[in-house]
Each structure stands twice: as structure tokens, then as C-alpha cells.
Amino acid sequence: MHTVVMTKGVPDFREGKVAFDEDGHLERGNTPTVMNPNDEHALRAALQTRVRHGGRVSVMSMGPPGYEDVLQEAMESVYADDCYLVSDKQFAAADTWATAITLATAIEHLGEPDLVFAGFKTADGETGHTGPQTCWGLDIPIVTHVVALDIDPEERTLRAKRLVEGDIEEIETVETSLPAFVVADPEFEPSYRTARHRLERKRLREEARERAADIDEHVTYWDHEELNLDPDYVGLDGSPTIVSSVDPIPRAPAEREATEVDPTDPEALGEVVEELTPHAGGD
Amino acid sequence: MSNMDEVGFDSSAAVDGGESFEAVVVGGGPGGAAAAAVLAENGVETLVLERGVEAGSKNVSGGLLYAEESAPYTLDGLFPGFRDEATERPVTRNYMDNLADGKVHTVDLGGVHHHDTEWCDSVLRRPMDSWVAERVHERTVEAGGGLLTGVRVNGLLREGGEIVGVTCDELDPIRADLIVAADGVNSELARDAGLMDWDEPEEWFQGVKAVVDVPPEEVNDRFGIDDDEGVARLFAGDLFEGVRGGGFLYTNRDSLSIGTVFHLDSLAAERAEPQELLDALLTHPHLGQWLPDEYDEYDEREYSAKLVPDSKKVAHPSPHEGRLLLVGDAAGQMQAQGPIIKGMNHAVSAGGLAAEAYIEARNRRQPESAGERYERRLHDSGLYGKLRPRRYEALGRFGEREVVADAVDDLAGSRLGRLGVRIAGGVVERAFNSPFLLGALPDTRTAYATVPRVLAEELGEPVRGDNDADPPSLEERIGDLTYDTDVGNPHIELMDNSFEASGTAVTACPVSAEGFGGGCYREETVRANGDEERVVSLDTQPCVECGTCAVVADTEWTHPRGGKGVDFRQG
Ligand SMILES: Cc1cc2nc3c(=O)[nH]c(=O)nc-3n(C[C@H](O)[C@H](O)[C@H](O)COP(=O)(O)OP(=O)(O)OC[C@H]3O[C@@H](n4cnc5c(N)ncnc54)[C@H](O)[C@@H]3O)c2cc1C
Ligand code: SF4
């Protein structure tokens, strides 16, 4: 079983980490890059697969050199065997389409993996397109919003529970053949209910720690030549998306009007209830 | 999302009716480690389950690990490099300080200490147990199993009334041909099998301990020792308000382990607060010479507590049922040889013997005979004789009867008794150093309080020096501990909250106190329909999992789920 997990480095949006310029644009150079938080769920799903069925896990990312921290984090959390960084000036400023073409080519270049995992969406672009578009490029079945997985390596099938319309109240079970593409939902919870799985996870963790300490030895860099990609179809030139305008990220209102309410005053509380009632339907 | 478990797919093991290992060892303390090591060495596929985040994170001992010459197994025998890597200091000097009336009378306990002792090291349980557990994991992996932490075994898996495995909070049921319950003093497995109960306070001791930070060179300086030497001091006399028990101080590499061990029935009857008794020891002027003074402030690394079984009363003569074998504290195998406490070493021996018994039974194709063989080994190896000395049954128990106990106590405290002590001071010292006599010693005030008091008063020197130690308050002690709280999953349930049924827990619980609102147990007055009722209420969050309230109060008591609850760093 060969599993590939796609992960991306994104600006660290945690409070105090993000730097904006005067126009409210993000200053990438001054904002640390971290692993896209949603990819964690993809990584967990891949790890569960690896623990249960063995095989090899590769982490793939597209981005500038210097992504090693992100790859290292990915390697430690998924106990990956190897990492691939698709990196080339020609790939810069790619939209989701051009990114997907590049990644699909890179994944094919790896051989034919049995499973590809991607996170739900990135914390910066938030389109949620890259995964499905890459899958389109690979021409394999896709299951999105996956919250639980069961793989039968002999039958080469995958059963998944997925959220219907992203709603946790409604879950359907689907089945497809391998190879397949899985987009893990943030609700994905890996389950390790047997001792042997936990022991295997522990073994993998110990091995991965050693590998991650020498991350450089386990990263392969691929540029457009290696992937045999025409520069006209990747990066900015290969991106059909036209950005009409960029809005600065709205700052939180400096001051909001607040009325203090005495919690022991029934009349005041009655007013609060009256204020809230119109919104009770979920508006 | 709360119902995620239902969302996942059944793991294949659950569908097939559970996974199996040849042996499952529950508990990663010394007993479990020894059993697992011997099993694995003999090629038995062994799974070790430990509920703490790491082995040792739930464990507390005073801290003297004995390797007895007569013991069938020792930790350094099982794990080469153990003493270099996992212990603190070899203990080379042993004393008992009898304190009363501002005087101290010191007895050299070298005789009893060195008797049958190959070596004796001070230890801290977190570093010791976790070091051992790593080796156990390596070995059990080689035999096809391994050691998992963060898993609490919550019961026995039975089929047609027979024990066939274990059930856990975190894992699907696991079947095994051998189940070793090395799950310590509050063994849920022993209870599930109906082999041990926790009913009687007189069958238990409660230990409370503080690990005090002292730089290594200061330890050497204050005790006049080198790096490869250590000191053990025991304390008895008038500093514990007549509660039956005593104190200890052991030197570690760069800290001191200071604590008290009391008979739980006495602690409960006197409604004594364990943490206050510990403070009485920590702040006693006699201890000032060893504790950090006003220049280098007193810094407590950790406050901890635990129950200890009294093997003389509870060591199970036949600790097995079907495939289940109990070892160590789970079988009550904790020996209090007078003031000397030996539990870890016996747990190691018992673990090794249980493993041997199974291997022999399996080789003879009679796996069901493992329990019988284990029992025979416990008796033949002499271990059982140490745990439940016959002479105690004959003499000690007799001496504990109230009328006799009072008469002896009166005699010891009388003028005649005092005269005897003055004339025969050396005899008393010899008596303290006699393992034979200590084994027969009745558990009465006489031994713990009266004789030490008379010794100090009649033969003692005045205590000199000051004690500037300023131990933290109970609130600070609780605040300094690390917990992984498990809100919504209480592991203790109060069955009867009336003061009569559960009030003792307020004082006996080492993290609760009368008039203190921040512990586990609180006393409250409820007014209803013009009536007033004194009740007890419970909040399990600051619990150190000592198990005391399981004995002294009316509770449903279990351990917290794997990895949850208190996380000791020293032990
Ligand atoms: C204050 C004090 C002072 C002491 N002084 C000494 C001394 O100086 N020398 C000495 O030799 N002994 C001393 N003892 C006694 C000694 O600590 C015990 O006798 C010894 O630890 C027993 O070893 P064990 O392996 O049976 O159990 P433990 O060491 O208690 O190990 C039991 C293990 O099982 C785990 N466990 C429990 N329940 C479960 C479950 N359901 N599922 C999974 N895991 C579980 C626990 O987390 C723990 O790791 C002292 C004890 C106390 C409290
Ligand atoms: S609540 Fe019970 S088990 Fe917990 S510390 Fe108090 S007495 Fe011990």
C-alpha cells in the first residue's frame, strides 16, 4: 500500500504571528510558515491507514525551498517514509488549477499510489479546490468530507463514512475501488482500538523520530524539468484565475457598543431575551 | 463531536471477537516489569498495559529498593545497568531517630538494614519505572508483544464464567492464556476476581511524601557522605499525635524524599490530617540540619500519596484464579518489617515467580496449572513466609487485642518500663535490629509511639538547631501537581454522602482537609425543610489516586481512564 499525503505550508494565522503591511496585505516574509491546520486530518487518516495496512507513506508539498519545517512536522505526525517538495520558480503564483496540474503530475511521477489524502481546505486560500482538482488530474475516484475509513487491501476497495453536505448530523457510507483520493474532514477521528495497532503506531513513531532528525536526507526536490512540465502550463502563466481585486482583511471593529446588564435584574434580562429572540431561528 | 465512536468502523479485531496475546500483564510497576521481562525472555508473546501516560507516572514509594540475597529475582539481575541508570544513591547508613520532649535518641539500624541485603538504593518511581518500562518494551517487542501506556484495564473478560482475558477503556477486549495482575494496591482486577477487597482500614497503611529539592553537593555536605553513599533515617515518637506510624527521610541524588506512613485505621480514628502530620515532620527542629535553610529556600518538587497493603494481614495465600495471577501489591505482598518497608522487591520476586510458573505449566502442556505452580513457588521460595510471618500470627495478632495492647503500653510507659529502658538501652537497639522480632511486632501504639517516646525521654539528647523550612500549603501542593483532568468522567462516585458513612474521607484524603474547600472531599451543611444535615461532597479533580477513600468512605472507586488524572514526575 503506497499512500501519498498532500500538505501545504501556510502563514501562521495565530494571534500575534501574522504581519500585515500598511494596506492590510499579508507580509509573507515576516509571517512564519506552518503546516496547514486542515492537513492534519489528512495526515491522521494516512497514518491510520499505514498503521492498519502497512506500506509506505509519502508526504508531498509544493512550495519554495525552506519548507523543511513543514515537511518535518508532517513527517513526525504521519511517520512518513519520505517527503517530496515540488519547488521551482516557474511554479510561483500558481492558482489552484496550476497547482493541481503540477501536483497530479508529481504524484504520477511517484508511481501509482493506492491512496492520496488531502486536507479539506487551506487556511490561506480557503478554496477547497486543490484536492479535487488534483484528483481530476489523476483521474481516480474521490471521496470528500471523510470522517471514517475502512480499507480492504485484498479486495482493493475503500469504504468511507462521509458527511453529507458537510453536516455532522447526516452521514453516508460509500464504497469505491483503489486507487482513490480521500479528502479528510476536520471531524475525522482516527481510531486505534486494538493493541497491535497501538504497538505498530508506537514503532512507527520511534522510527519516524529518527528520520525527522535528519529531514534533509529524506526530502526529494522536483522542479519543472524533473516533472517534464511545460512552464507555460504551470505557475502564474498556467493559472486561468483572474484576481479582480484584493480586499484588505477587515480588522476587528475597534470598539463595539456594549450595554452592561445586571444579571440579577429580571427586567434587564427580559430585554436581553427580547433582543435575542429574533435570532433564535439561527439567523 | 461526542458520538464519534459510533461513526468509526468496527476494528477488525472486534468483528473477529477480540485480539489475543499469549500473556497480558496489567501494570508497568516493578511486579509487572519483572513478570513481563521473564515471560518475554522465554519467548512468551507478552502485552503489557499501563494506565499512566508513562510507567511510573501513577506510582509513589518511600524510596528504598532492596535487593535481598535470598530473593529469586532483583531488578539489576533482570535489567543490566539498572543501578547505574535508574536509581538514586546506594543507601549505606540507616538510623532511627526517636523524638520526644525536645530530645532525640538515635538507634543505628544497620543490623536489620544489612540483614539479607545484597544492595539497597534510594529510588524515585517516575524515572525508575519509565527506564525499566523502556527495556520491557524492547524485550516484549522481540517476543511479539510490547508495552502500551495510557491504557486502563477495567475488568476481566469472562466466557462461561471463566476468565479468558481483559477489557479496557481504550481498547477492544483482549484474550490471553495468562493474565498477570500487577496493577498495584488498588487492583481492580483482584477485586473483579473476588480475590481481594478494600474493606478494612486496619489492613492498610497510607503514605504521604514530599520530594524536596537539594543540590547534590548540599546533600553530600549535610549528611557527610560522598556521591556513592546515601542515608536513610526513620522517625518515631511524639510528633505524630499518637497516630500509629512513623516518618522517613531518604537521600536521593539531588533531592530528599521525606514522608510518613500511618496505619489507616489509626489515621481515620484520630481524624488526623495526613498532610499536617507530614508538616509536623518537615518542620521539626531535628530535621532543620538537613533541610534547606533561610539562605537557600525550601522548594518542594512534589507532594504525593498512596495506600500500602499490610502483607501481615492481607497477603493472599493463594493469589490466583484460572488464568489470572496476582503479583505485588495487587496480592497484598507489601511487607512492613517494623519500620522498614519492602514492597517493590517482593513485587519483583513475585512477578518473576509468576512468569516462571506459567512457562513451566505451558512446557508441560498444563497451562491451567500456572496458578497452583505460582502459589507453590511463593511458599517454597520463602517469600510467603516473609510476607506473613507465622510468629506474627501467633504473637503480633495476640498483642493487638485491645486489652493486651493497653496493658503492654501502660507497662512500657510506666516507671518500671522506663527503668528497664534505662538499664537496657543496648537491648532495645538490638531488638530494633532483629528481623525476627520485627516480624512478630504487634501493630500497637507501644511500638510506634510509646517505646520511641520513652527511649527519647529517658536516653535522648536535647535536639539542637533550628528548622527554617516553610512547606507549601495544601492548596499550593495541589496546584503544583500536573493533572490531565477528565471532566465528565468521574472515577469516584460517592454512594452515601452522609457524614457518618463518608466523613472520614474529609480528613483522611491527603488532598482534602476540614475547613479547606479546594480538595476532593468537603464537609457541608445542607438545610432542608427546617432540618440541617451534615453531608460530604466530592470533586475528583485534585485526586492523587491514593485509594484511601475507597476504604474509609462509601464510594464506588476506580482508577481514571488511561493517561488521565494525576501525572507524578518524581514518585
Ligand atoms: C509512601 C510509600 C512508601 C513506600 N516505601 C517503600 C519502600 O521504601 N520500599 C519498597 O520496596 N516499597 C515501598 N512502598 C511500597 C511499594 O511502592 C509497592 O509495594 C510497590 O510499588 C508494589 O509494586 P507493584 O508492581 O505491585 O505495584 P505498583 O508499583 O503500584 O504498580 C502498579 C502499576 O499498575 C498500573 N495500573 C494500575 N491499575 C491499572 C489498570 N487498571 N490498568 C493498567 N494499569 C494499571 C499503575 O499505574 C502502576 O504503574 C511504599 C509505598 C508508599 C505508598
Ligand atoms: S479522593 Fe480518594 S483516592 Fe483521591 S486523593 Fe482523596 S482519598 Fe485519595
Side-chain angles (χ1 to χ4, degrees):
Chain A
M1 182 88 52
H2 183 195
T3 304
V4 179
V5 200
M6 293 170 37
T7 183
K8 189 188 178 200
V10 295
D12 190 347
F13 284 116
R14 279 172 307 168
E15 220 180 310
K17 302 267 185 182
V18 212
F20 296 107
D21 67 12
E22 283 164 5
D23 302 328
H25 292 147
L26 178 76
E27 286 190 285
R28 279 197 190 256
N30 291 329
T31 306
T33 301
V34 293
M35 193 176 72
N36 173 37
N38 274 321
D39 292 348
E40 229 178 84
H41 315 291
L43 293 166
R44 286 199 209 151
L47 177 58
Q48 180 187 290
T49 309
R50 162 79 183 263
V51 165
R52 290 190 180 179
H53 307 292
R56 163 176 156 226
V57 175
S58 307
V59 170
M60 181 169 291
S61 190
M62 179 170 129
Y67 250 38
E68 278 79 5
D69 285 354
V70 175
L71 295 176
Q72 191 168 26
E73 196 183 335
M75 181 171 257
E76 278 175 354
S77 55
V78 79
Y79 314 152
D81 298 85
D82 39 32
C83 299
Y84 294 85
L85 184 59
V86 183
S87 187
D88 194 325
K89 281 213 174 69
Q90 306 283 356
F91 298 149
D95 67 359
T96 60
W97 179 256
T99 304
I101 296 287
T102 311
L103 284 172
T105 311
I107 290 168
E108 276 177 347
H109 200 63
L110 262 180
E112 192 174 81
D114 302 285
L115 274 163
V116 183
F117 288 95
F120 169 42
K121 60 185 179 185
T122 54
D124 51 358
E126 290 228 334
T127 63
H129 292 172
T130 313
Q133 284 174 339
T134 306
C135 179
W136 180 85
L138 291 168
D139 196 20
I140 56 176
I142 185 166
V143 193
T144 57
H145 287 294
V146 169
V147 292
L149 258 189
D150 186 28
I151 288 155
D152 188 333
E154 271 95 64
E155 294 293 318
R156 293 199 53 78
T157 54
L158 167 157
R159 275 193 314 149
K161 294 196 181 180
R162 64 182 298 272
L163 307 185
V164 180
E165 296 189 22
D167 185 357
I168 194 70
E169 297 302 319
E170 220 180 310
I171 291 174
E172 66 177 2
T173 305
V174 296
E175 191 170 318
T176 183
S177 59
L178 297 182
F181 197 102
V182 172
V183 178
D185 190 87
E187 294 288 348
F188 183 92
E189 273 298 331
S191 139
Y192 298 100
R193 294 283 313 174
T194 73
R196 294 208 187 271
H197 289 160
R198 288 203 183 196
L199 287 170
E200 176 64 0
R201 190 177 57 174
K202 187 167 168 175
R203 186 183 73 79
L204 292 173
R205 178 172 57 224
E206 278 154 25
E207 281 181 7
R209 270 201 198 126
E210 283 173 26
R211 271 200 302 277
D214 291 313
I215 183 78
D216 289 344
E217 284 182 22
H218 303 280
V219 183
T220 307
Y221 297 84
W222 283 342
D223 57 12
H224 77 276
E225 278 176 15
E226 175 70 36
L227 296 178
N228 200 16
L229 276 165
D230 184 340
D232 286 346
Y233 292 94
V234 294
L236 187 61
D237 292 346
S239 297
T241 310
I242 296 166
V243 180
S244 64
S245 74
V246 177
D247 291 332
I249 296 174
R251 288 168 194 273
E255 262 176 49
R256 279 202 218 135
E257 265 185 53
T259 321
E260 243 177 72
V261 178
D262 177 2
T264 58
D265 177 1
E267 212 168 288
L269 287 178
E271 279 170 31
V272 175
V273 173
E274 238 167 76
E275 283 271 335
L276 291 176
T277 316
H279 305 287
D283 302 344
Chain B
M1 192 187 142
S2 58
N3 62 341
M4 226 36 224
D5 281 352
E6 292 154 37
V7 169
F9 290 98
D10 285 339
S11 53
S12 45
V15 177
D16 304 340
E19 61 181 334
S20 65
F21 286 82
E22 188 172 357
V24 169
V25 174
V26 183
V38 176
L39 287 167
E41 247 160 48
N42 286 277
V44 179
E45 179 198 57
T46 304
L47 174 69
V48 187
L49 299 174
E50 162 57 47
R51 72 190 171 96
V53 275
E54 191 181 40
S57 64
K58 298 288 180 188
N59 301 346
V60 180
S61 82
L64 290 195
L65 175 63
Y66 285 85
E68 294 186 328
E69 278 151 10
S70 60
Y73 290 93
T74 58
L75 281 173
D76 68 325
L78 289 168
F79 304 101
F82 170 78
R83 293 186 71 197
D84 285 339
E85 301 281 336
T87 69
E88 295 287 316
R89 285 174 186 257
V91 172
T92 45
R93 302 179 199 181
N94 264 66
Y95 305 97
M96 176 153 169
D97 292 331
N98 299 299
L99 299 161
D101 209 16
K103 291 193 199 164
V104 55
H105 172 258
T106 299
V107 178
D108 190 324
L109 285 186
V112 67
H113 168 72
H114 295 301
H115 171 80
D116 194 23
T117 301
E118 194 186 319
W119 53 264
C120 170
D121 287 358
S122 58
V123 299
L124 290 166
R125 292 297 297 274
R126 178 69 178 262
M128 169 181 132
D129 289 21
S130 56
W131 184 90
V132 168
E134 265 181 50
R135 315 273 110 46
V136 168
H137 179 62
E138 284 161 14
R139 274 191 223 177
T140 45
V141 162
E142 250 172 60
L147 179 147
L148 289 175
T149 53
V151 178
R152 178 179 83 107
V153 172
N154 58 20
L156 293 163
L157 181 69
R158 288 189 172 85
E159 227 169 56
E162 247 181 65
I163 298 166
V164 294
V166 294
T167 57
C168 317
D169 288 341
E170 295 80 8
L171 301 178
D172 294 334
I174 301 165
R175 302 165 148 273
D177 295 337
L178 169 72
I179 300 140
V180 178
D183 51 343
V185 63
N186 305 310
S187 168
E188 290 177 59
L189 291 188
R191 229 177 23 152
D192 188 344
L195 292 171
M196 301 282 280
D197 61 39
W198 310 334
D199 287 347
E200 303 301 328
E202 52 267 30
E203 293 171 349
W204 309 93
F205 302 97
Q206 187 205 58
V208 172
K209 174 175 149 184
V211 178
V212 182
D213 203 51
V214 184
E217 57 286 0
E218 285 289 309
V219 176
N220 293 358
D221 228 37
R222 280 162 204 258
F223 291 88
I225 50 176
D226 287 332
D227 286 345
D228 55 357
E229 292 178 308
V231 174
R233 299 199 87 101
L234 302 169
F235 306 97
D238 69 354
L239 71 179
F240 300 124
E241 302 166 14
V243 185
R244 283 192 343 268
F248 60 83
L249 179 157
Y250 307 142
T251 52
N252 300 320
R253 231 172 310 187
D254 55 1
S255 63
L256 304 177
S257 291
I258 304 178
T260 51
V261 177
F262 295 107
H263 279 274
L264 188 55
D265 57 334
S266 162
L267 196 70
E270 303 288 331
R271 297 200 60 84
E273 297 280 2
Q275 75 287 350
E276 283 176 10
L277 298 177
L278 174 67
D279 285 345
L281 175 64
L282 287 168
T283 56
H284 193 284
H286 184 55
L287 270 85
Q289 57 188 308
W290 301 302
L291 289 175
D293 54 28
E294 54 198 308
Y295 300 109
D296 38 27
E297 243 172 57
Y298 177 94
D299 180 15
E300 214 171 274
R301 279 195 205 163
E302 189 169 84
Y303 170 72
S304 57
K306 206 158 183 69
L307 228 50
V308 205
D310 183 354
S311 68
K312 297 199 295 298
K313 290 164 186 151
V314 292
H316 199 296
S318 184
H320 58 91
E321 189 191 317
R323 301 179 191 186
L324 176 73
L325 273 54
L326 313 182
V327 308
D329 278 7
Q333 297 165 342
M334 210 309 307
Q335 180 196 11
Q337 190 181 44
I340 292 183
I341 286 184
K342 293 181 172 178
M344 294 181 277
N345 55 322
H346 294 324
V348 168
S349 290
L353 294 177
E356 252 179 40
Y358 171 75
I359 291 153
E360 188 190 63
R362 183 188 68 160
N363 290 348
R364 297 186 179 216
R365 299 186 194 288
Q366 300 165 325
E368 68 291 344
S369 70
E372 292 294 333
R373 288 173 197 274
Y374 168 51
E375 182 179 332
R376 210 172 312 137
R377 280 176 157 73
L378 279 179
H379 290 267
D380 292 350
S381 66
L383 182 54
Y384 194 76
K386 292 180 194 167
L387 298 171
R388 284 193 95 140
R390 285 239 182 86
R391 52 196 187 279
Y392 169 76
E393 297 285 338
L395 282 172
R397 286 237 145 160
F398 171 71
E400 280 164 23
R401 289 201 197 134
E402 217 162 306
V403 184
V404 181
D406 286 349
V408 173
D409 202 51
D410 288 347
L411 178 69
S414 70
R415 278 174 53 194
L416 184 65
R418 285 168 185 270
L419 184 69
V421 163
R422 273 204 298 265
I423 298 171
V427 175
V428 176
E429 180 147 349
R430 278 207 296 284
F432 271 116
N433 277 303
S434 157
F436 181 84
L437 277 182
L438 290 179
L441 200 69
D443 286 330
T444 60
R445 273 192 319 281
T446 319
Y448 288 101
T450 315
V451 168
R453 208 186 63 230
V454 171
L455 276 172
E457 284 169 359
E458 298 300 322
L459 305 174
E461 306 267 321
V463 170
R464 274 178 258 277
D466 298 315
N467 189 340
D468 298 317
D470 183 17
S473 65
L474 184 55
E475 199 168 11
E476 288 166 326
R477 281 173 166 155
I478 297 171
D480 284 344
L481 285 166
T482 310
Y483 293 95
D484 182 355
T485 51
D486 199 11
V487 182
N489 288 296
H491 58 278
I492 308 175
E493 201 187 331
L494 196 54
M495 305 310 285
D496 183 343
N497 73 344
S498 70
F499 198 79
E500 295 67 46
S502 303
T504 314
V506 178
T507 47
C509 169
V511 293
S512 305
E514 258 174 346
F516 173 62
C520 292
Y521 284 94
R522 276 181 311 285
E523 180 189 338
E524 274 159 359
T525 308
V526 196
R527 290 191 185 84
N529 303 330
D531 273 351
E532 268 197 6
E533 205 191 346
R534 247 167 120 205
V535 297
V536 171
S537 63
L538 166 69
D539 168 9
T540 60
Q541 294 308 340
C543 174
V544 290
E545 300 163 34
C546 67
T548 301
C549 58
V551 184
V552 302
D554 191 2
T555 59
E556 273 296 325
W557 198 100
T558 58
H559 292 291
R561 296 188 297 166
K564 299 290 182 186
V566 70
D567 175 8
F568 290 126
R569 305 286 163 91
Q570 307 288 320

